[in-house]
Amino acid sequence: VWERLGALVVAVGVMTALVGCTRWAAPPRYGSLKADPKRSFNYDHRIELFETGNGLRFAVRRDARAGVATIDVRYAAGAAVDPPGRAGLAHLVEHLMFELRPAPGAPTLAAELDRFALDYNAATYADATHYRTTVPVAQLADALALEARRMTAQCDHLADAELERERDVVRADNAQRGAAVRRQLAEAIY
């Protein structure tokens, strides 16, 4: 019985694939839009791609209409590289990057961003950590300088109280979002 059922499932799958690949269906319709061969759909995303000698990649899309600039930095390291038993480490590093100081007693990176950024945030995913900052165009150089500091940051001037506070925040986030269950599922899948 199970062999017949398995053969039937395979046959239905093959037939579905074949029917899906045939061309007897009518061309797609787009509601009230009329097909016009004189008007083609060409989308120019205007993204310029650059790569430095050390492998750092940039994508730039210029748009002078708004007077703002958004910096979107992504590091190819996320929760999937957390060591076993250390779930949330990448997320903790993401939080701590806003608490870094260039010198003892100096303002944190977040405090400096608060001075001129219109908006900033970060997120940690399984495969990446993503930082985004939006500033007036006049502050673009300042924002890029802060991102450069983040890239070369060390924890020398990180206060223990800040580390403990952010660790507790990440633990609470993990508990609320069920990070342990997602981690186990990801490990089983990958």
Side-chain angles (χ1 to χ4, degrees):
V1 172
W2 290 109
E3 289 176 12
R4 282 188 190 167
L5 184 59
L8 180 62
V9 168
V10 169
V12 168
V14 169
M15 291 302 293
T16 302
L18 288 174
V19 168
C21 294
T22 60
R23 292 311 230 150
W24 51 267
R29 294 177 23 155
Y30 301 102
S32 64
L33 295 175
K34 304 283 186 234
D36 184 356
K38 295 179 208 158
R39 294 181 60 198
S40 64
F41 178 76
N42 293 321
Y43 176 71
D44 178 14
H45 54 69
R46 298 179 310 200
I47 296 175
E48 301 170 66
L49 301 173
F50 306 94
E51 187 168 344
T52 63
N54 66 359
L56 190 62
R57 293 177 290 176
F58 294 88
V60 177
R61 183 177 186 279
R62 301 169 198 272
D63 186 347
R65 295 176 294 178
V68 297
T70 297
I71 302 165
D72 189 283
V73 179
R74 297 176 189 212
Y75 296 92
V81 297
D82 286 348
R86 303 280 184 178
L89 188 59
H91 190 187
L92 177 60
V93 169
E94 169 216 315
H95 279 237
L96 293 176
M97 289 307 213
F98 288 105
E99 301 302 324
L100 295 174
R101 303 169 189 275
T108 64
L109 188 102
E112 291 185 57
L113 284 168
D114 285 338
R115 280 188 313 104
F116 62 83
L118 300 172
D119 182 44
Y120 64 90
N121 206 343
T124 300
Y125 303 100
D127 61 343
T129 303
H130 173 203
Y131 297 89
R132 178 192 39 77
T133 305
T134 301
V135 297
V137 170
Q139 304 299 137
L140 180 59
D142 297 328
L144 289 170
L146 284 180
E147 283 305 327
R149 278 193 16 224
R150 189 189 325 256
M151 287 181 191
T152 59
Q154 297 183 16
C155 298
D156 297 353
H157 307 295
L158 186 63
D160 289 341
E162 292 165 339
L163 172 63
E164 291 174 22
R165 181 189 69 233
E166 295 306 320
R167 184 182 58 209
D168 291 343
V169 168
V170 169
R171 282 181 176 157
D173 283 352
N174 285 351
Q176 180 181 8
R177 295 182 182 145
V181 173
R182 284 197 321 270
R183 170 82 180 201
Q184 290 171 349
L185 180 60
E187 286 174 356
I189 292 172
Y190 300 110

